Amino acid sequence: MYAVISDVHGNLAALEAVLEDIGRRGAREVLFLGDAVGYGPEPNECVALIEERCTLRVAGNHDWAVLGLTNADLFNPLALAAIRWTEEALGMEARERMNAWPLVASLPEPDALLVHSGPEAPEEWPYVISRADASRALRFFKHRLCLLGHSHLPFIAEAGRTGEAEFLGGRAVFRTGMRYVINTGSVGQPRDGDPRACYLLLDGRSVELVRVEYPAEATQRKMRRAGLPEPLAARLSLGR
Ligand code: ZN
């Protein structure tokens, strides 16, 4: 069994809670889908822990923005302020590690493509949110599954021969002849109205979205002390 995590965004308390839950459930490997940093107060600690615990890692748009590999001017003002703060805070070691993360990776079993944003243009960071987005994404990968993040809105979508994706609930058993687009949600800044950290458990037969409580106040306190924008701290209580 694999655990898949994404969009940690410098939220160490959330990452630790998720890794503890993963350990308890006995997942063999942890896979990371990008955005270790940006928004949160502990980017170096999160990169180090992801390096230590994850066997596969891909880069996200916030990771690339901090490294100067993608244009940060496209970020909204709050996200951009956090990117600038993170640029200052990030040490050489974390930088070098993140620099080695590719934009896409794949898994042999279950047969899956791993990418932060959409498979059609990973370096342009498209969002995959709606059923139409998921249906479109299916045309741009050959694997049975595509595992992605980026929107912080978790879903499991299934499609058969028509190529029209349907959203399932938070759990699904893989069916013969069907393909899947799966958004793992966000560990460190959920946006679906549920403030609990989100991740995914996966094996060759099924997939499940998991939610984990964590002490958001600890992260918020550190954000305020660091001078990160207040709305970024406040939203962690709301999951928005
Ligand atoms: Zn993100």
Side-chain angles (χ1 to χ4, degrees), residues 195-206:
R196 293 176 299 169
C198 188
Y199 77 96
L200 193 84
L201 287 172
L202 169 79
D203 61 21
R205 294 179 304 128
S206 65

Side-chain angles (χ1 to χ4, degrees), residues 58-219:
V58 299
N61 54 320
H62 288 252
D63 305 327
W64 267 35
V66 168
L67 296 174
L69 297 173
T70 198
N71 189 357
D73 298 340
L74 301 172
F75 285 75
N76 72 54
L78 293 177
L80 185 59
I83 291 291
R84 297 297 176 227
W85 181 91
T86 306
E87 282 170 352
E88 289 289 314
L90 203 66
M92 236 8 249
E93 193 178 335
R95 242 167 226 291
E96 276 169 19
R97 295 188 157 201
M98 287 163 63
N99 240 315
W101 296 348
L103 279 184
V104 294
S106 57
L107 206 64
E109 175 54 36
D111 176 34
L113 177 74
L114 279 63
V115 61
H116 181 67
S117 62
E120 64 267 42
E123 69 292 342
E124 287 167 25
W125 317 108
Y127 286 95
V128 182
I129 296 171
S130 65
R131 281 175 48 200
D133 297 338
S135 303
R136 188 184 137 74
L138 283 159
R139 305 205 302 268
F140 294 91
F141 65 95
K142 293 262 185 285
H143 310 67
R144 180 147 192 239
L145 317 177
C146 179
L147 306 173
L148 47 80
H150 193 36
S151 69
H152 304 202
L153 300 169
F155 66 75
I156 300 171
E158 180 187 64
R161 239 174 249 125
T162 61
E164 288 296 319
E166 299 286 346
F167 283 147
L168 307 175
R171 252 203 108 170
V173 173
F174 298 133
R175 297 194 295 162
T176 309
M178 306 301 257
R179 295 170 73 222
Y180 298 83
V181 178
I182 301 167
N183 192 313
T184 61
S186 171
V187 169
Q189 195 204 71
R191 292 179 191 161
D192 61 342
D194 183 343
R196 293 176 299 169
C198 188
Y199 77 96
L200 193 84
L201 287 172
L202 169 79
D203 61 21
R205 294 179 304 128
S206 65
V207 61
E208 180 186 357
L209 290 161
V210 182
R211 303 307 288 246
V212 183
E213 303 247 13
Y214 79 96
E217 329 73 65
T219 300

